[in-house]
Amino acid sequence: AGEITYEQIGDLTIRITIVTYTKTSSHVDRDSLIVYWGDGTTETVARINGKGTPLENDIKRIFYVREHTYPGRGTYTIGMTDPNRIGGILNVNYPNSIRVKFHIATTFTFLNQQFQGENNSAVLLQPPIDVGCVGRPFVHNPNAYDPDGDSLAYEWVVPLQDVGTPVPNFLFPDQIEPGPENQISLNEQTGEIIWDSPQRKGQYNIAIKVKEYRRGVLINSIIRDMQVEITECDNNPPQVQVASTLCATAGELIELPVMVDDPERETQLVKLSALGGPLTLDVSPAIFASGNQFEEVPRTVDFIWQTHCEHVRESEYTMVFKATDNYFTDSSGLVDLKTVNFNIVGPPPGNPEVERQATQNKVTWEPGYQCEQSSNFQGYTIWRRNGRAVIPEDICLPDLSNYGYDIIGFAEKNGALEFL
């Protein structure tokens, strides 16, 4: 499995990170990869983390990092090709998948930093290391987090074997022994994959495109290509229970209980872990003290986040809570994932009032707004509606234009605005 992400570190310079996931016990060892920069140049990029970082299920994660400067603004596609996939993949050129190349790509656009800001890619926080069982639901979420606060969407794509070339004889996993009990789906908003349920033991490949939008415009995309191993086993996945959506005003303390249990609690232990943007923040990051160890269930762990004005943004934050049992001999097993979306909004200004005057009106509010010194504070928008309206008291209220309101003005930090 693998993907390519990047950071914009200069006007025309980026730093890419290629992440690959390979079999730890395999004799194949890629100490370097060839990168196609998308501007007609290629470069050999070396591995930076020794022999790789071991993960569960006989998988290791490898990082390759390099900087590159482009000749001008534009849209570029970065790619990497490995000579071989593994043999016997059921849905890729079966039974000759070992002859099919593994290719991943990321497409991005250089923005004008002065007017549009930097454009860093999303980061895929959840490793693709989970194993499934025949006849049991398989779940996965790449858990993409965008540090710029851009909106993300997900879609299925056919895995690639070269630049713009799909693998031959590809079938979606639910086309292997298809039927009403074999359905796979991808949530386009959260990225959650649910395969309910695999019908044949073996190896499968899937690929997801993570698309990034800014103000409704597609500015880049990442393809994650991953392998799914399905085994024969008599086991049921653990269960995570947690709210799916939570809204908070900046400055509020979030304390969210996350409960985990397992149908085989008498014979198995469960590890509860979490990954998401709130845990990676520089200012007031969230805390989830689960211990990340296999323990007895049922149990509850609190997700705690002291929100801050710096956390206010248009797009939601996402957390993925993952429960893993220890059914298999290498101390890992089936998983359950729950995705929680957090919407952090700015606090309201204090005591707004409208003063009617002879030729115009004036709206005022208390000075010293709580988030006025925040780096992402831009000002106040003033809305007006002709006639009465009943608006729900909800801090995550959708756009006021849905209730007949229009923006009539914008104020910076003076606490007042005159309007007709």
Side-chain angles (χ1 to χ4, degrees):
E3 70 265 358
I4 303 171
T5 61
Y6 68 90
E7 302 170 78
Q8 185 176 354
I9 59 175
D11 190 43
L12 293 173
T13 302
I14 65 170
R15 179 188 297 118
I16 67 163
T17 299
I18 302 175
V19 185
T20 62
Y21 299 84
T22 64
K23 199 172 184 66
T24 304
S25 59
S26 172
H27 69 280
V28 177
D29 185 38
R30 308 280 190 233
D31 62 358
S32 62
L33 299 171
I34 297 176
V35 175
Y36 304 88
W37 290 108
D39 59 358
T41 65
T42 63
E43 190 173 0
T44 299
V45 178
R47 182 173 56 198
I48 66 167
N49 62 328
K51 293 289 186 179
T53 303
L55 303 174
E56 299 170 354
N57 301 327
D58 193 27
I59 293 173
K60 64 180 179 180
R61 178 166 48 196
I62 304 171
F63 296 99
Y64 307 83
V65 178
R66 184 60 59 91
E67 297 176 4
H68 184 73
T69 300
Y70 285 83
R73 287 200 188 96
T75 299
Y76 300 92
T77 298
I78 309 167
M80 182 280 292
T81 305
D82 190 277
N84 303 100
R85 295 175 185 264
I86 69 166
I89 300 173
L90 294 177
N91 64 328
V92 175
N93 201 38
Y94 183 78
N96 297 312
S97 59
I98 198 169
R99 301 178 181 176
V100 179
K101 298 177 184 177
F102 174 85
H103 182 82
I104 50 178
T106 291
T107 300
F108 75 99
T109 301
F110 272 115
L111 304 180
N112 186 315
Q113 287 183 288
Q114 181 178 357
F115 300 105
Q116 299 170 293
E118 294 181 349
N119 178 16
N120 301 293
S121 76
V123 180
L124 278 57
L125 301 175
Q126 190 74 43
I129 62 175
D130 299 322
V131 177
C133 290
V134 172
R136 300 289 190 272
F138 172 85
V139 294
H140 177 73
N141 192 322
N143 195 3
Y145 168 68
D146 188 82
D148 301 328
D150 294 318
S151 299
L152 302 178
Y154 304 81
E155 72 174 49
W156 290 121
V157 292
V158 175
L160 299 175
Q161 63 176 341
D162 211 330
V163 178
T165 306
V167 298
N169 302 316
F170 177 77
L171 297 172
F172 282 96
D174 56 357
Q175 294 177 289
I176 306 294
E177 299 190 13
E181 296 181 351
N182 184 5
Q183 304 290 324
I184 191 168
S185 63
L186 170 66
N187 188 308
E188 296 179 352
Q189 294 179 319
T190 68
E192 185 170 79
I193 298 168
I194 300 178
W195 184 7
D196 189 11
S197 295
Q199 299 297 305
R200 186 189 299 181
K201 173 184 176 180
Q203 306 286 345
Y204 299 80
N205 273 180
I206 56 175
I208 311 163
K209 179 182 285 188
V210 183
K211 301 178 291 183
E212 180 180 335
Y213 292 86
R214 185 172 297 182
R215 299 181 181 92
V217 177
L218 180 66
I219 57 174
N220 72 271
S221 62
I222 301 169
I223 293 178
R224 166 178 271 187
D225 189 325
M226 62 178 283
Q227 182 176 298
V228 178
E229 180 181 2
I230 302 300
T231 67
E232 291 278 4
C233 55
D234 183 17
N235 186 32
N236 293 294
Q239 300 163 346
V240 178
Q241 296 182 19
V242 64
S244 60
T245 303
L246 194 148
C247 301
T249 301
E252 181 180 344
L253 176 65
I254 295 175
E255 295 181 283
L256 179 68
V258 183
M259 293 165 282
V260 61
D261 203 349
D262 193 290
E264 287 89 11
R265 70 170 74 99
E266 301 299 327
T267 58
Q268 295 179 16
L269 303 176
V270 177
K271 177 171 62 177
L272 181 61
S273 59
L275 291 170
L279 298 172
T280 69
L281 297 170
D282 294 329
V283 177
S284 190
I287 299 171
F288 189 66
S290 67
N292 204 28
Q293 298 176 343
F294 288 98
E295 300 179 34
E296 294 182 352
V297 290
R299 71 178 189 275
T300 299
V301 180
D302 286 338
F303 170 81
I304 300 174
W305 187 14
Q306 178 59 64
T307 61
H308 190 277
C309 291
E310 296 293 336
H311 302 154
V312 177
R313 67 179 197 177
E314 184 176 359
S315 60
E316 295 176 322
Y317 294 88
T318 299
M319 286 293 307
V320 175
F321 297 96
K322 177 180 177 180
T324 309
D325 67 31
N326 64 342
Y327 174 80
F328 296 123
T329 55
D330 60 357
S331 296
S332 66
L334 296 187
V335 307
D336 185 30
L337 299 177
K338 286 295 184 294
T339 302
V340 182
N341 293 318
F342 295 86
N343 194 335
I344 310 301
V345 301
N351 297 322
E353 294 183 356
V354 175
E355 179 184 346
R356 297 181 181 274
Q357 301 175 345
T359 59
Q360 60 186 5
N361 300 303
K362 183 178 183 181
V363 60
T364 61
W365 56 94
E366 290 181 351
Y369 178 62
Q370 177 181 337
C371 291
E372 205 167 62
Q373 302 304 317
S374 172
S375 62
N376 56 17
F377 176 79
Q378 299 180 24
Y380 309 88
T381 50
I382 313 301
W383 298 70
R384 180 173 64 185
R385 179 186 190 278
N386 291 326
R388 292 180 176 273
V390 177
I391 302 176
E393 293 186 7
D394 184 356
I395 60 172
C396 286
L397 190 70
D399 196 323
L400 281 172
S401 60
N402 295 335
Y403 294 86
Y405 281 82
D406 296 309
I407 295 178
I408 60 169
F410 177 81
E412 293 184 350
K413 302 182 180 182
N414 59 4
L417 178 72
E418 294 182 344
F419 63 96
L420 298 176

